[in-house]
Amino acid sequence: MWTADHWNDYEIIDTSKGEKLERWGDYLLVRPDPQVIWDTPRKHSGWRKKNGHYHRSSKGGGEWEFFHLPEQWSIGYKPLDLTFHLKPFSFKHTGLFPEQAVNWDWFSSIIKRADRPVKVLNLFAYTGGATLAAARAGAQVTHVDASKGMVTWARENAVASGLSDAPVRWIVDDCVKFAERESRRGNHYDGIIMDPPSYGRGPKGEIWKIEESIFSLVKLCARLLSDEPLFFLINSYTTGLAPAVLSYMLGVTLKQLGGRVTSDEVGLPVTETGLILPCGASGRWER
C-alpha cells in the first residue's frame, strides 16, 4: 500500500463503528467512512471533544453538527510547502483528500528530475492539491474542473501557497469535452493526472459514471501525451475498480510507450492502532 505518512497538520487518530476521528490542524472532526466496519473501543478523548461531526442519514446524505469550529481554517503540507484552506461542506467533505499526498510526492520527484519544461494536465482537479504540487515542482499546469466553486477554491489555495504567479491555466469545463477539444487542437502534455468521481455531472448536466466512462477517457488522454511523456496517474475511490483494474487499463492503453505500470491501494496511518486505513486506489505509469 502507498501510504501518505508525511503529514504534520493532518492525522487519523482513531477509527471505529463506521467513523474516523481526524485532526485537521487544531480541530477534530468525526466523519463517516464505509471502510471502517469494525467495532473497537473509542478510548481517545477526541471522540467526545470533537469540533465537528458529520451525521450520515439513513435516507442518504447527512448533515454537519459543529462545536466551536470556524467557517474556514488552513493546514499545510510541509514537504512541498503547500497551504490549503478547509471548510466543511456537502457530503462530509472538507476540501482536501490527504491520502493523495503520497501521489503528490511521487510525481513531484519525476517533474524535478526531468530537468526540462514540463506540461501537466490535471482533470477533475477539485481544490487543486495535485495542481499546486506539480506547480511547486516547476511544471506548467492546466487545471480542469466542472465546478466553478472548486476552481475558485483551488485558486485561493494557490494564493495561500505563494503560487499565485505560477504558470497555471484555471479551466471550468466538463473534463471529457475539454480533453476532446485539446485533442482536436493538437495540444500535448508530459504528465496527466485524473481523479474522477464515481458519479458526477458536468456544468451543462453531462452525466459521468466512472465504470462506463473511465476507459474511453484514458484512451482519449493517451492521445494528449507528448513525444516524451513522463507520467500518467489515475485515482479511484470506487471499490469496484481494484488497483489491478487501473494497471490493466494503463497497461493496454500505454503499451506502445514502454515504461512501467504500477498500482496499489492508497492509505493513511491510524495513530491509535498503528495500522493503515485504505482510502482508494491509484494506478501509475512512469516512463
Side-chain angles (χ1 to χ4, degrees):
M1 183 181 290
W2 293 323
T3 307
D5 54 6
H6 294 154
W7 282 98
N8 291 322
D9 286 358
Y10 173 82
E11 158 188 30
I12 297 181
I13 298 172
D14 197 11
T15 62
S16 177
K17 302 177 184 177
E19 296 180 314
K20 55 189 174 186
L21 171 65
E22 305 165 290
R23 179 180 60 83
W24 298 80
D26 296 329
Y27 302 100
L28 300 181
L29 301 182
V30 174
R31 299 191 298 157
D33 192 308
Q35 302 286 351
V36 181
I37 61 174
W38 41 87
D39 181 4
T40 49
R42 295 186 172 190
K43 297 180 180 180
H44 194 279
S45 61
W47 289 108
R48 299 180 299 278
K49 298 178 181 179
K50 54 192 175 290
N51 299 103
H53 190 173
Y54 187 88
H55 299 279
R56 177 162 284 166
S57 170
S58 59
K59 299 178 181 179
E63 62 180 3
W64 281 98
E65 180 183 15
F66 300 122
F67 311 90
H68 308 293
L69 184 71
E71 291 185 3
Q72 179 173 293
W73 72 104
S74 299
I75 66 171
Y77 184 61
K78 292 185 178 179
L80 299 180
D81 191 23
L82 300 177
T83 299
F84 302 100
H85 293 324
L86 306 176
K87 51 189 173 186
F89 71 110
S90 60
F91 195 62
K92 78 179 181 180
H93 296 306
T94 64
L96 188 67
F97 292 100
E99 68 275 5
Q100 287 303 316
V102 71
N103 285 321
W104 305 342
D105 294 338
W106 170 71
F107 63 69
S108 292
S109 65
I110 294 174
I111 293 169
K112 291 176 182 177
R113 289 198 309 267
D115 195 29
R116 61 174 172 88
V118 174
K119 292 177 61 180
V120 172
L121 174 62
N122 185 15
L123 299 174
F124 309 96
Y126 197 51
T127 59
T131 293
L132 301 187
R136 176 69 76 204
Q140 302 175 41
V141 187
T142 297
H143 172 112
V144 187
D145 197 278
S147 168
K148 183 178 180 181
M150 292 299 106
V151 175
T152 299
W153 194 338
R155 296 186 76 157
E156 293 171 355
N157 285 336
V159 172
S161 298
L163 290 167
S164 56
D165 295 327
V168 179
R169 284 200 300 161
W170 306 98
I171 308 292
V172 179
D173 202 350
D174 176 78
C175 290
V176 175
K177 290 185 176 180
F178 178 81
E180 288 171 345
R181 286 197 300 275
E182 287 291 88
S183 179
R184 291 194 297 268
R185 288 187 285 244
N187 288 336
H188 295 95
Y189 297 88
D190 304 298
I192 293 177
I193 301 163
M194 61 174 68
D195 200 347
S198 300
Y199 178 86
R201 289 184 179 271
K204 295 182 180 179
E206 302 91 342
I207 295 177
W208 165 274
K209 293 182 180 179
I210 191 168
E211 294 89 345
E212 298 175 2
S213 307
I214 184 65
F215 185 58
S216 61
L217 180 58
V218 172
K219 290 193 294 182
L220 170 61
C221 287
R223 300 202 299 267
L224 299 180
L225 289 171
S226 66
D227 291 337
E228 295 185 359
L230 297 174
F231 67 90
F232 199 125
L233 171 67
I234 307 174
N235 295 311
S236 172
Y237 301 95
T238 302
T239 55
L241 295 184
V245 173
L246 302 179
S247 277
Y248 201 100
M249 281 195 298
L250 289 172
V252 298
T253 307
L254 306 179
K255 182 178 181 180
Q256 74 281 5
L257 297 177
R260 183 170 68 115
V261 173
T262 54
S263 65
D264 208 336
E265 290 184 283
V266 175
L268 287 159
V270 180
T271 303
E272 285 289 285
T273 62
L275 301 173
I276 305 298
L277 179 68
C279 304
S282 293
R284 300 170 174 176
W285 173 85
E286 182 177 358
R287 189 169 187 79

